[in-house]
Amino acid sequence: MSTVQTRPLWRTGIDVLMFLTVLALTLKSLTFFGPVSLGTGNARAMDGDSLQLNKTEVRLHGIDAPEFSQTCGSPSGDYPCGRDAQKALADLVRERTISCTVMDVDRYGRSVSICHDGPLELNREMVRLGWAVAYIRHSGDYLGAQREAKSAKRGIWRGKFDMPEDYRIAHRPVAGSAASD
């Protein structure tokens, strides 16, 4: 009969400390050296505010798009706005040469970046098209594009929707529930 050995708590603590140290060094290097380019290449939209470029997962800086499973309301009924936001970003990057400049690293290890297709800034364009909102907790850079989308009733602004951050909070699995197992 085999016994399962549990990992000592101190080892987990060391792992957490190591991760935080690497994260702090990464953030410090960004401060010291300035923004870092991820290079250029073909990108793939993961959802409405993140993509994969050269095997690096990138979170678009300063914007927040509906979650992939999120639905929104419109005069003609509910629609899958999270999927539509992912499709809008996919259309922007499809068969294009995308370049991204890292501004930060988030808690999931993703490169928080401003991305371009030549002169077109993807972050701003997603907000201007109405498929993302300005994530003002992180940046106010896209408030003008958001006002434009809202007044034109583009994308999610054509009806009712929960702000993506509010949707995430409301649909976060409860610790210990069957959904979080």
Side-chain angles (χ1 to χ4, degrees):
M1 177 176 224
S2 73
T3 58
V4 176
Q5 290 186 347
T6 58
R7 187 167 196 226
L9 186 57
W10 64 269
R11 296 241 0 227
T12 302
I14 289 174
D15 288 347
V16 168
L17 185 60
M18 293 290 288
F19 171 76
L20 292 175
T21 302
V22 169
L23 182 60
L25 289 172
T26 301
L27 292 174
K28 186 69 175 169
S29 70
L30 286 174
T31 303
F32 184 74
F33 295 111
V36 177
S37 173
L38 292 175
T40 60
N42 293 323
R44 180 176 64 88
M46 312 277 283
D47 56 30
D49 55 25
S50 62
L51 51 86
Q52 188 172 36
L53 175 68
N54 300 331
K55 299 184 181 178
T56 300
E57 192 171 339
V58 175
R59 172 73 161 80
L60 297 178
H61 168 75
I63 74 170
D64 201 13
E67 293 299 304
F68 189 74
S69 61
Q70 188 171 343
T71 57
C72 297
S74 76
S76 59
D78 289 349
Y79 67 99
C81 58
R83 291 176 192 259
D84 288 354
Q86 186 270 343
K87 183 184 180 311
L89 183 56
D91 289 345
L92 287 174
V93 302
R94 184 173 291 114
E95 297 179 19
R96 306 267 194 242
T97 301
I98 304 302
S99 63
C100 294
T101 302
V102 180
M103 307 304 289
D104 201 353
V105 176
D106 71 8
R107 64 182 173 167
Y108 304 109
R110 297 177 298 187
S111 299
V112 180
S113 305
I114 297 175
C115 298
H116 290 87
D117 169 22
L120 179 69
E121 184 187 321
L122 301 179
N123 310 45
R124 184 175 312 283
E125 188 66 3
M126 284 297 290
V127 175
R128 193 188 73 74
L129 292 172
W131 292 115
V133 297
Y135 205 178
I136 57 175
R137 183 161 35 128
H138 298 284
S139 172
D141 293 347
Y142 305 111
L143 287 171
Q146 180 171 294
R147 281 190 293 275
E148 179 186 336
K150 187 175 181 178
S151 69
K153 297 184 188 280
R154 287 196 284 257
I156 58 178
W157 296 104
R158 67 182 183 224
K160 294 184 184 227
F161 66 95
D162 291 330
M163 289 300 248
E165 186 172 32
D166 295 338
Y167 179 88
R168 283 191 298 277
I169 290 168
H171 292 85
R172 185 174 292 148
V174 177
S177 71
S180 66
D181 291 339

XYZ file of all heavy atoms in Angstrom, residues 1-94:
708
model
N 0.850 -1.173 0.000
C 0.000 0.000 0.000
C 0.897 1.239 0.000
O 1.773 1.378 0.822
C -0.891 -0.053 1.237
C -1.770 1.153 1.388
S -2.853 0.930 2.788
C -4.327 1.507 2.063
N 0.673 2.131 -0.967
C 1.500 3.340 -1.039
C 0.824 4.470 -0.279
O -0.390 4.569 -0.221
C 1.747 3.740 -2.487
O 0.582 4.276 -3.026
N 1.644 5.324 0.263
C 1.116 6.484 0.967
C 1.446 7.727 0.162
O 2.494 7.819 -0.465
C 1.729 6.620 2.380
O 3.135 6.720 2.250
C 1.363 5.433 3.247
N 0.556 8.667 0.189
C 0.748 9.928 -0.510
C 1.428 10.894 0.443
O 0.945 11.130 1.549
C -0.604 10.507 -0.979
C -0.401 11.862 -1.626
C -1.289 9.539 -1.914
N 2.568 11.420 0.018
C 3.272 12.379 0.852
C 2.824 13.782 0.466
O 2.762 14.115 -0.709
C 4.777 12.259 0.675
C 5.331 10.979 1.259
C 6.856 10.972 1.197
O 7.457 11.774 0.534
N 7.439 10.040 1.915
N 2.519 14.568 1.471
C 2.131 15.943 1.205
C 3.372 16.808 1.155
O 4.377 16.527 1.805
C 1.173 16.480 2.282
O 1.810 16.382 3.547
C -0.121 15.701 2.294
N 3.287 17.823 0.382
C 4.406 18.745 0.214
C 4.475 19.663 1.425
O 3.459 20.244 1.814
C 4.194 19.564 -1.053
C 5.340 20.418 -1.413
C 5.155 20.909 -2.816
N 6.427 21.419 -3.288
C 6.567 22.557 -3.910
N 5.514 23.280 -4.173
N 7.750 22.964 -4.303
N 5.645 19.827 1.998
C 5.749 20.722 3.160
C 5.360 22.151 2.789
O 5.667 22.628 1.699
C 7.230 20.657 3.545
C 7.782 19.463 2.848
C 6.914 19.199 1.664
N 4.688 22.812 3.702
C 4.232 24.180 3.489
C 5.394 25.123 3.214
O 5.290 26.026 2.397
C 3.424 24.651 4.703
C 2.751 26.008 4.593
C 1.816 26.050 3.394
C 1.987 26.329 5.860
N 6.529 24.899 3.839
C 7.670 25.787 3.633
C 8.165 25.742 2.191
O 8.628 26.740 1.661
C 8.806 25.496 4.629
C 9.432 24.131 4.495
C 9.075 22.990 5.144
C 10.534 23.780 3.656
N 9.862 21.940 4.759
C 10.782 22.400 3.842
C 11.328 24.489 2.760
C 11.791 21.725 3.168
C 12.333 23.811 2.096
C 12.555 22.443 2.307
N 8.029 24.588 1.524
C 8.444 24.494 0.111
C 7.521 25.309 -0.779
O 7.971 25.968 -1.706
C 8.453 23.034 -0.360
C 9.443 22.184 0.357
C 10.524 21.525 -0.427
N 10.619 21.698 -1.823
C 10.806 20.718 -2.693
N 10.846 19.463 -2.277
N 10.951 20.978 -3.971
N 6.233 25.272 -0.485
C 5.285 26.090 -1.234
C 5.590 27.572 -1.023
O 5.560 28.365 -1.956
C 3.842 25.763 -0.807
O 3.604 24.383 -1.036
C 2.832 26.597 -1.583
N 5.917 27.923 0.208
C 6.277 29.308 0.520
C 7.499 29.760 -0.255
O 7.551 30.886 -0.762
N 8.485 28.889 -0.370
C 9.693 29.218 -1.141
C 9.349 29.400 -2.617
O 9.836 30.325 -3.265
C 10.785 28.148 -0.933
C 11.348 28.260 0.487
C 11.894 28.279 -1.974
C 12.326 27.176 0.849
N 8.486 28.543 -3.152
C 8.073 28.667 -4.553
C 7.370 29.999 -4.802
O 7.635 30.666 -5.806
C 7.154 27.510 -4.955
C 7.883 26.185 -5.079
O 9.128 26.186 -5.102
O 7.196 25.148 -5.145
N 6.496 30.391 -3.899
C 5.791 31.666 -4.034
C 6.786 32.817 -3.970
O 6.734 33.758 -4.775
C 4.693 31.814 -2.947
C 4.149 33.233 -2.891
C 3.569 30.819 -3.195
N 7.722 32.746 -3.036
C 8.740 33.784 -2.902
C 9.593 33.885 -4.165
O 9.903 34.982 -4.630
C 9.621 33.507 -1.679
C 10.654 34.563 -1.326
C 9.986 35.893 -1.034
C 11.483 34.110 -0.142
N 9.965 32.760 -4.750
C 10.753 32.753 -5.990
C 9.966 33.396 -7.131
O 10.507 34.188 -7.891
C 11.155 31.325 -6.371
C 12.138 30.684 -5.418
S 13.760 31.417 -5.511
C 14.299 30.788 -7.065
N 8.680 33.035 -7.252
C 7.848 33.613 -8.312
C 7.760 35.126 -8.152
O 7.918 35.870 -9.119
C 6.439 32.993 -8.283
C 5.485 33.692 -9.210
C 5.545 33.476 -10.576
C 4.540 34.584 -8.726
C 4.678 34.134 -11.450
C 3.673 35.243 -9.577
C 3.742 35.014 -10.936
N 7.509 35.579 -6.925
C 7.397 37.015 -6.689
C 8.713 37.731 -6.961
O 8.717 38.858 -7.473
C 6.914 37.284 -5.260
C 5.471 36.855 -4.968
C 5.145 37.044 -3.494
C 4.483 37.593 -5.849
N 9.820 37.097 -6.665
C 11.128 37.684 -6.938
C 11.346 37.841 -8.437
O 11.776 38.900 -8.907
C 12.255 36.828 -6.320
O 12.032 36.731 -4.911
C 13.624 37.407 -6.590
N 11.046 36.803 -9.206
C 11.195 36.865 -10.660
C 10.263 37.931 -11.236
O 10.664 38.716 -12.104
C 10.924 35.485 -11.312
C 10.815 35.590 -12.817
C 12.014 34.500 -10.919
N 9.033 37.997 -10.753
C 8.086 39.009 -11.221
C 8.607 40.408 -10.905
O 8.576 41.294 -11.763
C 6.708 38.780 -10.590
C 5.593 39.728 -11.022
C 5.349 39.634 -12.521
C 4.315 39.411 -10.260
N 9.113 40.616 -9.685
C 9.644 41.927 -9.299
C 10.843 42.310 -10.160
O 10.968 43.459 -10.587
C 10.025 41.927 -7.824
N 11.729 41.350 -10.449
C 12.891 41.629 -11.296
C 12.461 41.976 -12.720
O 13.034 42.869 -13.345
C 13.855 40.446 -11.300
C 14.628 40.224 -10.000
C 15.398 38.899 -10.058
C 15.567 41.380 -9.720
N 11.445 41.299 -13.212
C 10.930 41.592 -14.552
C 10.366 43.009 -14.593
O 10.658 43.774 -15.516
C 9.844 40.574 -14.949
O 10.402 39.263 -14.908
C 9.305 40.858 -16.337
N 9.551 43.350 -13.602
C 8.979 44.697 -13.559
C 10.065 45.747 -13.396
O 10.014 46.810 -14.020
C 7.963 44.803 -12.427
C 6.684 43.983 -12.606
C 5.817 44.064 -11.356
C 5.914 44.423 -13.824
N 11.077 45.473 -12.593
C 12.175 46.414 -12.398
C 12.943 46.608 -13.699
O 13.338 47.719 -14.037
C 13.101 45.907 -11.286
C 14.169 46.860 -10.897
C 13.577 48.063 -10.205
C 14.683 48.956 -9.701
N 14.196 50.225 -9.256
N 13.162 45.520 -14.445
C 13.886 45.646 -15.715
C 13.089 46.488 -16.709
O 13.667 47.246 -17.480
C 14.216 44.274 -16.306
O 13.066 43.621 -16.763
N 11.751 46.369 -16.685
C 10.933 47.208 -17.561
C 11.079 48.671 -17.192
O 11.151 49.538 -18.060
C 9.457 46.798 -17.478
C 9.073 45.509 -18.179
C 7.622 45.160 -17.874
C 9.293 45.600 -19.663
N 11.148 48.958 -15.898
C 11.327 50.332 -15.438
C 12.695 50.861 -15.840
O 12.837 51.985 -16.302
C 11.163 50.395 -13.907
O 9.885 49.882 -13.573
C 11.288 51.815 -13.387
N 13.722 50.029 -15.695
C 15.092 50.449 -15.972
C 15.367 50.573 -17.468
O 15.907 51.567 -17.938
C 16.074 49.471 -15.330
C 17.512 49.863 -15.478
C 18.034 50.902 -14.730
C 18.338 49.211 -16.380
C 19.355 51.283 -14.865
C 19.661 49.578 -16.525
C 20.174 50.618 -15.762
N 14.988 49.555 -18.230
C 15.302 49.516 -19.651
C 14.217 50.127 -20.531
O 14.425 50.346 -21.710
C 15.560 48.082 -20.113
C 16.778 47.470 -19.492
C 16.654 46.437 -18.579
C 18.036 47.929 -19.804
C 17.777 45.868 -18.011
C 19.161 47.371 -19.236
C 19.032 46.336 -18.323
N 13.041 50.382 -19.985
C 11.940 50.908 -20.770
C 11.159 49.783 -21.431
O 11.426 48.607 -21.204
N 10.177 50.143 -22.238
C 9.358 49.130 -22.898
C 10.205 48.190 -23.757
O 11.194 48.593 -24.348
C 8.402 49.949 -23.773
C 8.380 51.296 -23.135
C 9.749 51.492 -22.551
N 9.773 46.945 -23.805
C 10.488 45.911 -24.538
C 9.615 45.456 -25.702
O 8.417 45.220 -25.535
C 10.783 44.703 -23.612
C 11.447 43.584 -24.364
C 11.618 45.143 -22.420
N 10.203 45.327 -26.871
C 9.460 44.859 -28.033
C 9.408 43.334 -28.036
O 10.396 42.670 -27.729
C 10.124 45.343 -29.321
O 9.486 44.752 -30.437
N 8.252 42.794 -28.372
C 8.112 41.349 -28.531
C 8.425 40.921 -29.962
O 8.287 39.760 -30.300
C 6.690 40.901 -28.173
C 6.293 41.017 -26.717
C 4.830 40.647 -26.542
C 7.171 40.136 -25.844
N 8.815 41.869 -30.780
C 9.077 41.569 -32.180
C 7.797 41.650 -32.982
O 6.775 42.147 -32.523
N 7.868 41.152 -34.194
C 6.699 41.181 -35.072
C 6.379 39.767 -35.526
O 7.206 38.867 -35.444
C 6.961 42.050 -36.322
O 8.062 41.490 -37.038
C 7.268 43.480 -35.934
N 5.177 39.579 -35.991
C 4.779 38.274 -36.496
C 3.277 38.176 -36.625
O 2.550 39.157 -36.442
N 2.834 36.973 -36.935
C 1.402 36.710 -37.015
C 0.884 36.494 -35.605
O 1.556 35.860 -34.783
C 1.118 35.474 -37.863
C 1.468 35.700 -39.313
O 1.266 36.781 -39.844
N 2.006 34.687 -39.963
N -0.281 37.015 -35.322
C -0.873 36.871 -33.997
C -2.189 36.117 -34.115
O -2.808 36.071 -35.176
C -1.106 38.246 -33.375
N -2.586 35.552 -32.994
C -3.860 34.838 -32.916
C -4.637 35.404 -31.736
O -4.108 35.487 -30.620
C -3.607 33.346 -32.712
C -4.854 32.503 -32.614
C -4.524 31.019 -32.511
N -3.800 30.671 -31.313
C -4.383 30.340 -30.148
N -5.698 30.341 -30.040
N -3.654 30.019 -29.101
N -5.876 35.823 -31.964
C -6.722 36.370 -30.899
C -7.155 35.251 -29.969
O -7.681 34.234 -30.413
C -7.942 37.064 -31.496
N -6.911 35.437 -28.683
C -7.346 34.468 -27.670
C -8.768 34.818 -27.214
O -9.594 33.954 -27.014
C -6.409 34.505 -26.465
C -4.933 34.449 -26.801
S -4.333 32.811 -27.061
C -4.206 32.242 -25.403
N -9.006 36.111 -27.013
C -10.324 36.654 -26.702
C -10.305 38.103 -27.170
O -9.474 38.451 -28.010
C -10.677 36.485 -25.215
C -9.663 37.102 -24.268
O -9.017 38.104 -24.624
O -9.524 36.600 -23.144
N -11.151 38.958 -26.640
C -11.243 40.325 -27.141
C -10.156 41.271 -26.663
O -10.016 42.367 -27.191
N -9.373 40.852 -25.668
C -8.313 41.735 -25.183
C -6.990 41.018 -24.949
O -6.113 41.522 -24.254
C -8.744 42.488 -23.920
C -9.220 41.572 -22.808
O -8.818 40.391 -22.767
O -10.015 42.032 -21.970
N -6.835 39.848 -25.543
C -5.547 39.162 -25.453
C -5.299 38.362 -26.727
O -6.223 37.952 -27.421
C -5.463 38.268 -24.216
O -6.432 37.262 -24.250
N -4.016 38.207 -27.016
C -3.625 37.486 -28.213
C -2.323 36.741 -27.947
O -1.703 36.907 -26.897
C -3.476 38.443 -29.400
C -2.609 39.694 -29.243
C -1.155 39.404 -29.539
C -3.118 40.774 -30.187
N -1.954 35.937 -28.891
C -0.683 35.229 -28.812
C 0.174 35.689 -29.989
O -0.265 35.668 -31.134
C -0.895 33.721 -28.868
C 0.378 32.947 -28.603
C 0.121 31.452 -28.468
O -0.733 30.900 -29.164
N 0.841 30.815 -27.593
N 1.386 36.148 -29.669
C 2.332 36.626 -30.670
C 3.667 35.949 -30.404
O 4.214 36.059 -29.310
C 2.488 38.149 -30.585
C 3.539 38.769 -31.507
C 3.104 38.646 -32.970
C 3.765 40.238 -31.154
N 4.175 35.231 -31.413
C 5.468 34.545 -31.268
C 5.528 33.697 -29.999
O 6.478 33.769 -29.233
C 6.617 35.555 -31.276
C 6.662 36.360 -32.554
O 6.246 35.889 -33.612
N 7.146 37.586 -32.471
N 4.487 32.927 -29.743
C 4.381 32.031 -28.592
C 4.321 32.751 -27.247
O 4.468 32.141 -26.204
C 5.512 31.001 -28.586
C 5.503 30.101 -29.803
C 6.569 29.044 -29.726
C 6.537 28.196 -30.976
N 7.565 27.183 -30.982
N 4.107 34.064 -27.264
C 3.973 34.844 -26.037
C 2.526 35.272 -25.889
O 1.938 35.809 -26.825
C 4.877 36.098 -26.077
O 6.237 35.681 -26.220
C 4.727 36.931 -24.821
N 1.958 35.030 -24.697
C 0.591 35.483 -24.447
C 0.634 36.958 -24.079
O 1.382 37.377 -23.195
C -0.061 34.670 -23.327
C -1.542 34.922 -23.255
C -2.279 33.991 -22.314
O -1.766 32.907 -21.998
O -3.390 34.373 -21.895
N -0.166 37.745 -24.781
C -0.167 39.191 -24.645
C -1.545 39.662 -24.208
O -2.553 39.273 -24.795
C 0.193 39.863 -25.999
C 0.077 41.372 -25.920
C 1.582 39.441 -26.453
N -1.573 40.495 -23.177
C -2.805 41.155 -22.717
C -2.728 42.588 -23.212
O -1.733 43.273 -22.991
C -2.861 41.103 -21.183
C -3.985 41.912 -20.553
C -5.327 41.205 -20.778
N -6.354 41.631 -19.884
C -7.073 42.744 -20.013
N -6.838 43.584 -21.002
N -8.029 43.027 -19.164
N -3.737 43.047 -23.940
C -3.722 44.401 -24.477
C -3.869 45.428 -23.351
O -4.826 45.378 -22.575
C -4.817 44.578 -25.526
C -4.665 43.703 -26.773
C -5.833 43.926 -27.728
C -3.345 43.955 -27.472
N -2.912 46.324 -23.272
C -2.841 47.342 -22.225
C -4.008 48.322 -22.294
O -4.386 48.789 -23.372
C -1.522 48.115 -22.392
C -1.428 49.354 -21.572
N -1.216 49.328 -20.220
C -1.550 50.655 -21.907
C -1.191 50.570 -19.761
N -1.398 51.394 -20.773
N -4.581 48.626 -21.129
C -5.541 49.718 -21.012
C -6.942 49.453 -21.513
O -7.752 50.380 -21.560
N -7.232 48.214 -21.911
C -8.580 47.905 -22.391
C -9.111 46.665 -21.679
O -8.347 45.872 -21.134
C -8.656 47.726 -23.921
C -8.040 46.403 -24.375
C -7.995 48.897 -24.639
C -8.293 46.075 -25.840
N -10.412 46.507 -21.685
C -11.059 45.336 -21.106
C -12.220 44.964 -22.009
O -13.098 45.790 -22.278
C -11.550 45.659 -19.691
C -11.765 44.434 -18.824
O -11.324 43.329 -19.201
O -12.374 44.589 -17.738
N -12.203 43.751 -22.509
C -13.247 43.273 -23.426
C -14.164 42.297 -22.698
O -13.774 41.702 -21.692
C -12.605 42.592 -24.638
N -15.381 42.114 -23.209
C -16.277 41.121 -22.597
C -15.601 39.752 -22.533
O -14.816 39.392 -23.419
C -17.474 41.088 -23.551
C -17.457 42.410 -24.235
C -16.001 42.769 -24.365
N -15.897 39.020 -21.479
C -15.378 37.665 -21.336
C -15.939 36.792 -22.459
O -17.042 37.037 -22.947
C -15.767 37.088 -19.974
C -15.104 37.785 -18.817
C -13.594 37.678 -18.861
O -13.060 36.557 -18.906
O -12.936 38.729 -18.859
N -15.187 35.770 -22.854
C -15.569 34.944 -23.995
C -16.982 34.388 -23.843
O -17.745 34.330 -24.806
C -14.549 33.817 -24.196
C -14.750 33.064 -25.471
C -14.402 33.627 -26.688
C -15.305 31.801 -25.462
C -14.591 32.941 -27.881
C -15.497 31.100 -26.646
C -15.140 31.675 -27.853
N -17.373 34.014 -22.624
C -18.701 33.422 -22.405
C -19.781 34.459 -22.111
O -20.946 34.107 -21.916
C -18.635 32.431 -21.241
O -18.240 33.097 -20.062
N -19.424 35.744 -22.107
C -20.364 36.802 -21.740
C -21.366 37.074 -22.853
O -21.044 37.034 -24.033
C -19.582 38.078 -21.414
C -20.410 39.189 -20.842
C -19.548 40.358 -20.341
O -18.358 40.229 -20.132
N -20.185 41.502 -20.157
N -22.610 37.341 -22.450
C -23.633 37.772 -23.399
C -24.033 39.209 -23.070
O -23.883 39.657 -21.938
C -24.885 36.870 -23.358
O -25.411 36.865 -22.035
C -24.560 35.451 -23.787
N -24.504 39.901 -24.075
C -24.937 41.282 -23.925
C -26.325 41.413 -24.544
O -26.759 40.549 -25.306
C -23.966 42.234 -24.635
S -22.284 42.214 -23.958
N -26.996 42.522 -24.231
C -28.328 42.745 -24.766
C -28.306 43.750 -25.901
O -27.428 44.612 -25.974
N -29.255 43.611 -26.783
C -29.434 44.575 -27.873
C -30.930 44.684 -28.135
O -31.701 43.865 -27.644
C -28.698 44.113 -29.139
O -29.409 43.082 -29.787
N -31.333 45.675 -28.914
C -32.766 45.795 -29.226
C -33.352 44.518 -29.851
O -34.526 44.240 -29.686
C -32.819 46.971 -30.206
C -31.630 47.800 -29.847
C -30.567 46.808 -29.452
N -32.501 43.740 -30.535
C -33.013 42.517 -31.159
C -32.802 41.270 -30.296
O -33.086 40.171 -30.736
C -32.362 42.323 -32.534
O -30.960 42.246 -32.406
N -32.323 41.437 -29.063
C -32.155 40.301 -28.154
C -30.709 40.117 -27.718
O -29.820 40.861 -28.125
N -30.510 39.107 -26.877
C -29.170 38.826 -26.372
C -28.288 38.234 -27.470
O -28.784 37.553 -28.379
C -29.233 37.846 -25.202
C -29.826 38.472 -23.947
O -29.999 39.706 -23.924
O -30.109 37.727 -23.002
N -26.995 38.513 -27.367
C -26.043 37.984 -28.338
C -24.723 37.694 -27.618
O -24.452 38.236 -26.549
C -25.853 38.957 -29.510
C -25.179 40.252 -29.113
C -23.811 40.446 -29.329
C -25.889 41.279 -28.507
C -23.186 41.627 -28.958
C -25.284 42.458 -28.141
C -23.925 42.626 -28.365
O -23.308 43.784 -27.983
N -23.883 36.830 -28.192
C -22.624 36.432 -27.552
C -21.532 37.489 -27.740
O -20.623 37.333 -28.560
C -22.273 35.115 -28.252
C -22.840 35.278 -29.623
C -24.114 36.085 -29.435
N -21.595 38.570 -26.963
C -20.668 39.688 -27.169
C -19.211 39.306 -26.893
O -18.305 39.852 -27.520
C -21.079 40.897 -26.340
S -21.177 40.598 -24.566
N -18.977 38.359 -26.002
C -17.604 37.920 -25.751
C -17.003 37.245 -26.977
O -15.858 37.502 -27.349
N -17.788 36.419 -27.614
C -17.327 35.767 -28.852
C -17.170 36.788 -29.975
O -16.238 36.713 -30.769
C -18.292 34.663 -29.271
C -18.271 33.473 -28.340
C -19.325 32.439 -28.733
N -19.483 31.463 -27.697
C -18.948 30.243 -27.729
N -18.237 29.870 -28.758
N -19.138 29.418 -26.722
N -18.090 37.753 -30.024
C -18.002 38.789 -31.057
C -16.757 39.662 -30.856
O -16.118 40.077 -31.831
C -19.264 39.655 -31.056
C -20.490 38.922 -31.603
O -20.350 37.775 -32.085
O -21.593 39.499 -31.540
N -16.409 39.936 -29.602
C -15.201 40.715 -29.323
C -13.955 39.938 -29.762
O -13.046 40.502 -30.378
C -15.117 41.057 -27.835
N -13.927 38.646 -29.496
C -12.794 37.810 -29.931
C -12.713 37.797 -31.448
O -11.634 37.909 -32.023
C -12.942 36.391 -29.377
C -11.761 35.494 -29.637
C -11.840 34.703 -30.936
O -12.912 34.558 -31.541
N -10.712 34.202 -31.383
N -13.857 37.713 -32.115
C -13.875 37.709 -33.575
C -13.373 39.043 -34.129
O -12.637 39.081 -35.118
C -15.284 37.413 -34.098
C -15.354 37.335 -35.614
C -16.772 37.132 -36.096
C -16.882 37.059 -37.599
N -16.205 38.102 -38.348
N -13.752 40.150 -33.484
C -13.301 41.473 -33.939
C -11.782 41.583 -33.854
O -11.135 42.074 -34.791
C -13.962 42.577 -33.113
N -11.191 41.104 -32.747
C -9.735 41.138 -32.635
C -9.095 40.177 -33.633
O -8.086 40.512 -34.262
C -9.290 40.813 -31.203
C -7.785 40.896 -30.941
C -7.211 42.269 -31.295
C -7.481 40.539 -29.483
N -9.706 39.015 -33.826
C -9.186 38.057 -34.816
C -9.180 38.683 -36.210
O -8.214 38.510 -36.966
C -10.023 36.772 -34.803
N -10.234 39.415 -36.544
C -10.294 40.086 -37.851
C -9.202 41.148 -37.986
O -8.636 41.336 -39.063
C -11.663 40.727 -38.068
C -12.773 39.702 -38.298
O -12.470 38.520 -38.574
O -13.957 40.091 -38.178
N -8.897 41.851 -36.880
C -7.852 42.881 -36.927
C -6.448 42.306 -37.115
O -5.590 42.957 -37.703
C -7.882 43.730 -35.643
C -9.026 44.714 -35.497
C -8.988 45.372 -34.118
C -8.977 45.777 -36.585
N -6.202 41.100 -36.602
C -4.840 40.536 -36.684
C -4.660 39.527 -37.816
O -3.531 39.187 -38.166
C -4.408 39.888 -35.335
C -4.456 40.902 -34.214
C -5.219 38.650 -34.995
N -5.764 39.073 -38.402
C -5.703 38.026 -39.431
C -4.829 38.445 -40.612
O -5.020 39.495 -41.204
C -7.099 37.682 -39.920
C -7.117 36.514 -40.930
C -8.516 36.064 -41.280
N -9.123 35.418 -40.116
C -10.172 35.904 -39.443
N -10.755 37.017 -39.825
N -10.654 35.259 -38.407
